[in-house]
Amino acid sequence: MRYAVLLFVIFTITACRMIIPVPELPSDTMDEFYEQQISELISKMTIEEKVGQMTQLNIDVVCVGEVYNLQEPHRIDSAKLHKAIVDNHVGSILNCGGHAYPLAQWHEMIGNIQRVAAQKTRLKIPVLYGIDAIHGANYVMGSTLFPQPLAQAATFNTELVRKGAAVTAYETRAAGIPWNFSPVLDVARHPAWSRVFETYGEDTYLCTEMGGAVIDGYQGIAGPDKYHVAACMKHFLGYSGARTGKDRTPAYIPNNQLREIYLPPFQEAVRRGALTVMINSGEINGVPVHANYDILTTLLRDELKFEGIAVTDWEDVMKLHLNHKTASSLKEATYQAVQAGIDMCMVPNDYNFTNHLIELVKEGRISEERLDKSVRRILWVKQKLRLNSSPMIPSAKDYNLFGSPDFQKEALNTAEESITLLENRNSALPLGKQDKIFVTGPAAHSMILLNGAWTRTWQGADEKWDDTTKYTIYEALKAKNPNVQYALGCDVLDKPVSDNAMQLASESDVIIVCLGEYPSTEKVGDIDDLSFSRAQLDYVKALASLRKKLILVLVENRPRLVNEIADLASAVVMAYQPGDFGGEALANILYGDVNPSGRLPITYPRYNQSMLTYDHKYTETFDQKFANTAFNPQWEFGHGLSYSNVFYSDLKVASPEVVQNGLVNVTVTLQNPSDRSVKESVLLFIRDHYASVTPSVKKLKQFQKIELQPRETKTVTFILKASDLKLCDRNGQWIYENGDFDIIIGKLKTTLTLK
Ligand code: BGC
């Protein structure tokens, strides 16, 4: 709250029609002065106006047509808008009415909303508009679509990811939207979860670093200007820990794991100044997070010192009554959520929250001071975003980089650095220029499979919104080699397709089979079996029986099991959901124009019943003696090949011992024996030999992405902090325990003693 700036005065002056002289103040007292201005505004607000600020509605509520069934083309219904903004003082609106809009339509809709707020309301407080721009400004037609976050994490390149987030912010703001419900900072501990693709993978440190880079990209290092947006770290806390792997089902997370695994990305995001947070729709240990004071107030506010807006997730106050059953009525649900610590309710389709909260305050069950705390945070974020001083409709000339070749190049680079070469037997890849190629499978000629959910629509499954100027995998390969043949061969689900696929396959030198899953997210994406469909597995087996060079390309939300077919392929390539430029990126990699450099940000499991993470415990280690398959993944976290076979040597710690709070340099030498340049992600893990809480077999502590020129040798230095060796004890405290640790890079290992 200390960063309020001069513009707020202008806002307050126009908003309240009062003349507040701006005094000459030394700069260190300015923050307090503007904090006072927010206080003055709050002191003028009625209970209804305060509750309105805490209410967030779905755009459908103010549009022509029914909620979830708007009339095309979508447009604002002025009577409904008046009811929301003027009668109910609503402070925030979200979403699109079911599909993306071109810039001009956004400008018209948001312009309408802001005009009513500025011209028809007493206090003229701007509306805070929010949207999900998960992999680019996906609800703005013509925007640049990046790979999904899981793929972005595979780049292990935080600078690239930061730049991508900055493009997303720019293109979101170009539409007049200043708030992005991203990044997802949930650590993907269950590979079957429908939102794995929205995360930065299974490792806490990787999620922390990527999340931090994204916050910087969205908000700008100096705080949001007209090219940046407020980030929304989500979903606080433990959302991805559901025991079943199904969306919004219960998680049982002991305090020390909550703090060791799930909390750090949020802690770092707060440190970097994330302006807003969205709450986990699920429950932890029997308590819905939306009603959990310990998490929403004691941890988030008192301990993390988070000062921004805590917004609920979609309908989650209502769900305390209807789904979680901790509240016997909708009004009680409102009471529970507000008292637990939420600031804004994503209601989003009615005025129940608004009416109930007004009643609760008037009955004296919730104090007005409690409202003031939330309203102060909401006004502060509006202030930080300079909503009051921004033009209501962004000027197109300020955003002429929207959808530009420069931005598209960023998306292509990100896709190229994310795609992960998992197997390359006998150097099956890159392809020869003369090879007769047959490309097939459900993902071979589909843009929706490349893009995944949150692409022009929520589930991203409707081809109607495809950008036909972008290349599918088949089209991208054909652009390199006009003789490439294609047939679908097999659909995503158990629906064999009869075409001439087997004939074309038998006439080719190389078969590239692109397996895929339909885009989906949240409950819609729940699955009962992590395997690819029987139809796809059998299709690969049929193709393999032709004994051609078989390249398996995986286009997927999450790591679908391939243990039946992985060994049949000469090469396996993980494409994730690489976005609009994924086809081109993949073709560049398959033909060797780009050297692959992605690494798995998640363990690729082999079996449905063995979904362990790489940082498992010793008791989960593969045990030959008992043929115990505890940890025996298809491919491990961090795995990824290039065409260069970079050689690691000389792993050294500068000193064999480090003291608590000390630092030690770790060096390793990398040699590129090939005549191609290569990007290499260098991952540093530690392994604690003995600890009072059973240690993991290894934990990622640092990484660097470097580039090696042909035949180049380079020494890479990490500055390891002794604090990287701390453990989270059984009470959830990070403590030192002296002893020996392995430092592991590649297949090399050395020992360091903490004294
Ligand atoms: C999702 C959130 C999203 C929100 C608004 C919810 O269903 O869980 O991640 O931000 O909808 O679209």
Side-chain angles (χ1 to χ4, degrees):
M1 204 60 65
R2 324 211 139 268
Y3 315 100
V5 290
L6 181 66
L7 291 160
F8 191 75
V9 169
I10 301 161
F11 159 55
T12 313
I13 291 170
T14 40
C16 306
R17 291 172 191 257
M18 295 181 308
I19 306 300
I20 302 173
V22 182
E24 294 282 325
L25 292 171
S27 57
D28 54 349
T29 62
M30 289 297 268
D31 288 344
E32 271 170 41
F33 173 74
Y34 295 116
E35 218 175 297
Q36 258 179 38
Q37 302 306 302
I38 293 183
S39 301
E40 268 179 42
L41 180 57
I42 290 175
S43 73
K44 293 182 174 55
M45 293 172 79
T46 62
I47 293 170
E48 287 78 4
E49 283 165 337
K50 291 175 185 174
V51 170
Q53 286 300 311
M54 294 171 68
T55 302
Q56 186 182 58
L57 292 184
N58 179 12
I59 183 78
D60 289 28
V61 177
V62 298
C63 281
V64 177
E66 300 300 312
V67 169
Y68 301 137
N69 188 20
L70 299 184
Q71 261 179 42
E72 293 285 352
H74 298 176
R75 58 197 187 282
I76 298 289
D77 178 322
S78 42
K80 289 182 186 170
L81 186 63
H82 193 278
K83 180 175 176 194
I85 308 291
V86 183
D87 301 344
N88 285 284
H89 317 283
V90 167
S92 180
I93 298 185
L94 86 153
N95 212 13
C96 61
H99 60 75
Y101 305 133
L103 280 174
Q105 192 173 355
W106 274 120
H107 292 168
E108 192 195 316
M109 294 176 90
I110 290 180
N112 272 336
I113 293 169
Q114 298 298 19
R115 252 192 310 278
V116 170
Q119 293 166 4
K120 304 263 169 65
T121 65
R122 189 173 73 96
L123 299 175
K124 306 184 182 336
I125 301 171
V127 170
L128 180 55
Y129 205 101
I131 201 88
D132 295 88
I134 305 296
H135 66 124
N138 38 256
Y139 283 146
V140 187
M141 291 308 293
S143 67
T144 311
L145 290 179
F146 284 78
Q148 293 283 359
L150 185 69
Q152 295 187 28
T155 66
F156 280 83
N157 185 340
T158 49
E159 181 52 16
L160 196 61
V161 168
R162 185 194 65 76
K163 278 162 46 186
V167 170
T168 300
Y170 181 106
E171 295 190 344
T172 302
R173 202 81 199 231
I177 302 173
W179 186 15
N180 186 5
F181 303 132
S182 172
V184 168
L185 298 182
D186 304 309
V187 184
R189 303 299 279 186
H190 200 306
W193 186 37
S194 61
R195 305 190 76 169
V196 164
F197 72 97
E198 291 184 54
T199 74
Y200 298 95
E202 77 181 24
D203 177 69
T204 300
Y205 177 71
L206 181 57
C207 290
T208 304
E209 291 299 297
M210 287 293 167
V214 171
I215 304 275
D216 288 350
Y218 287 160
Q219 298 196 167
I221 310 282
D225 56 16
K226 69 178 172 191
Y227 297 119
H228 293 91
V229 293
C232 184
M233 45 179 186
K234 69 187 192 184
H235 306 78
F236 195 72
L237 182 67
Y239 180 31
S240 52
R243 191 174 57 183
T244 60
K246 302 217 174 172
D247 192 47
R248 294 171 159 92
T249 56
Y252 300 93
I253 310 176
N255 182 41
N256 61 343
Q257 279 199 13
L258 197 67
R259 286 170 171 276
E260 179 186 351
I261 293 172
Y262 298 94
L263 186 61
F266 289 94
Q267 229 161 355
E268 176 63 10
V270 172
R271 195 186 70 77
R272 297 210 197 195
L275 287 169
T276 76
V277 65
M278 190 184 294
I279 309 308
N280 166 13
S281 300
E283 62 173 78
I284 302 178
N285 307 336
V287 183
V289 180
H290 281 80
N292 191 327
Y293 182 88
D294 293 342
I295 290 185
L296 299 189
T297 298
T298 314
L299 178 57
L300 181 65
R301 304 294 181 181
D302 302 345
E303 190 180 325
L304 299 194
K305 308 274 180 244
F306 175 66
E307 296 187 315
I309 301 173
V311 62
T312 74
D313 202 341
W314 190 273
E315 292 182 339
D316 274 321
V317 170
M318 183 172 109
K319 284 180 185 159
L320 292 176
H321 170 57
L322 296 180
N323 298 44
H324 292 293
K325 311 278 182 192
T326 57
S328 56
S329 65
L330 290 177
K331 185 165 165 185
E332 201 53 31
T334 301
Y335 178 80
Q336 287 185 0
V338 172
Q339 293 301 67
I342 64 114
D343 296 316
M344 184 184 282
C345 177
M346 191 186 285
V347 188
N349 289 323
D350 57 42
Y351 294 95
N352 279 328
F353 169 84
T354 324
N355 296 335
H356 288 143
L357 186 51
I358 293 168
E359 281 170 32
L360 286 162
V361 178
K362 292 197 168 157
E363 286 162 9
R365 288 190 67 203
I366 292 182
S367 69
E368 214 171 326
E369 289 70 46
R370 169 65 194 84
L371 298 189
D372 291 352
K373 279 191 184 170
S374 290
V375 173
R376 179 176 295 276
R377 294 171 188 142
I378 293 164
L379 295 178
W380 178 67
V381 170
K382 291 186 176 189
Q383 156 66 9
K384 289 288 286 178
L385 287 164
R386 304 175 196 187
L387 293 188
N388 48 304
S389 62
S390 312
M392 283 177 206
I393 303 175
S395 152
K397 73 170 175 4
D398 285 345
Y399 295 92
N400 52 16
L401 287 176
F402 179 91
S404 62
D406 283 356
F407 283 3
Q408 298 190 0
K409 184 81 177 71
E410 290 295 338
L412 176 66
N413 289 345
T414 310
E416 287 174 346
E417 286 205 28
S418 70
I419 290 171
T420 307
L421 181 61
L422 297 174
E423 299 287 351
N424 195 17
R425 300 183 178 112
N426 301 320
S427 300
L429 290 175
L431 301 170
K433 292 275 184 267
Q434 305 308 321
D435 289 343
K436 270 183 82 181
I437 310 283
F438 170 58
V439 58
T440 184
H445 194 28
S446 163
M447 287 312 296
I448 58 166
L449 265 60
L450 286 182
N451 271 307
W454 302 111
T455 302
R456 311 307 184 208
T457 63
W458 174 41
Q459 294 296 319
D462 190 346
E463 286 170 352
K464 179 168 131 194
W465 303 99
D466 282 354
D467 177 349
T468 50
T469 66
K470 303 298 183 307
Y471 288 164
T472 62
I473 295 172
Y474 162 54
E475 289 164 342
L477 288 168
K478 205 169 168 61
K480 289 196 181 280
N481 174 355
N483 297 323
V484 169
Q485 298 288 322
Y486 161 77
L488 176 62
C490 175
D491 225 334
V492 173
L493 299 175
D494 291 334
K495 189 165 147 263
V497 168
S498 64
D499 55 18
N500 59 346
M502 293 310 288
Q503 177 64 31
L504 290 172
S506 65
E507 290 163 7
S508 67
D509 302 323
V510 182
I511 303 168
I512 302 175
V513 55
C514 306
L515 303 189
E517 75 176 302
Y518 283 128
S520 64
T521 187
E522 303 186 46
K523 288 301 275 180
V524 183
D526 281 351
I527 49 173
D528 293 323
D529 182 350
L530 194 54
S531 301
F532 269 114
S533 66
R534 174 59 33 216
Q536 294 195 65
L537 296 174
D538 287 350
Y539 182 51
V540 174
K541 287 182 187 169
L543 293 170
S545 71
L546 299 173
R547 307 214 167 276
K548 307 277 178 171
K549 194 190 271 188
L550 184 70
I551 313 292
L552 194 60
V553 175
L554 307 171
V555 180
E556 48 192 5
N557 304 11
R558 54 205 140 188
R560 305 300 295 248
L561 305 186
V562 290
N563 66 67
E564 280 185 37
I565 52 171
D567 292 344
L568 304 176
S570 306
V572 183
V573 183
M574 174 62 152
Y576 312 91
Q577 289 170 320
D580 261 354
F581 300 89
E584 215 174 317
L586 187 75
N588 288 343
I589 284 175
L590 294 180
Y591 272 104
D593 298 333
V594 168
N595 202 345
S597 68
R599 298 293 192 97
L600 282 179
I602 189 163
T603 302
Y604 206 114
R606 193 186 292 272
Y607 304 113
N608 265 317
Q609 289 306 320
S610 290
M611 296 188 187
L612 302 179
T613 52
Y614 86 94
D615 52 346
H616 60 84
K617 300 297 178 83
Y618 281 90
T619 48
E620 294 168 313
T621 310
F622 182 72
D623 187 336
Q624 288 290 358
K625 198 163 70 184
F626 299 107
N628 169 357
T629 56
F631 185 69
N632 180 16
Q634 196 78 46
W635 297 286
E636 214 178 306
F637 170 89
H639 174 69
L641 308 169
S642 71
Y643 297 142
S644 294
N645 298 320
V646 172
F647 181 72
Y648 288 59
S649 64
D650 289 329
L651 173 63
K652 287 191 190 116
V653 281
S655 120
E657 292 174 357
V658 64
V659 292
Q660 295 185 1
N661 301 321
L663 299 171
V664 65
N665 277 9
V666 178
T667 52
V668 66
T669 301
L670 270 66
Q671 188 209 349
N672 175 9
S674 74
D675 50 15
R676 302 166 178 273
S677 67
V678 61
K679 290 180 181 154
E680 182 76 7
S681 300
V682 191
L683 276 47
L684 183 155
F685 297 90
I686 65 143
R687 171 183 295 156
D688 193 348
H689 287 197
Y690 298 96
S692 61
V693 173
T694 56
S696 294
V697 296
K698 58 181 186 172
K699 281 269 180 201
L700 182 70
K701 289 296 166 180
Q702 291 197 27
F703 58 84
Q704 287 181 38
K705 190 147 194 184
I706 61 148
E707 185 159 10
L708 292 163
Q709 295 310 313
R711 316 238 158 245
E712 191 186 7
T713 299
K714 231 182 215 172
T715 297
V716 178
T717 303
F718 292 95
I719 303 169
L720 188 69
K721 301 186 285 298
S723 58
D724 287 336
L725 308 177
K726 279 185 171 179
L727 74 93
C728 192
D729 74 6
R730 63 192 84 175
N731 301 315
Q733 302 293 321
W734 286 94
I735 60 160
Y736 281 112
E737 279 186 8
N738 290 349
D740 291 342
F741 293 79
D742 289 340
I743 309 296
I744 305 164
I745 299 182
K747 293 196 170 68
L748 306 172
K749 190 175 85 174
T750 185
T751 305
L752 176 67
T753 304
L754 174 68
K755 287 234 161 180

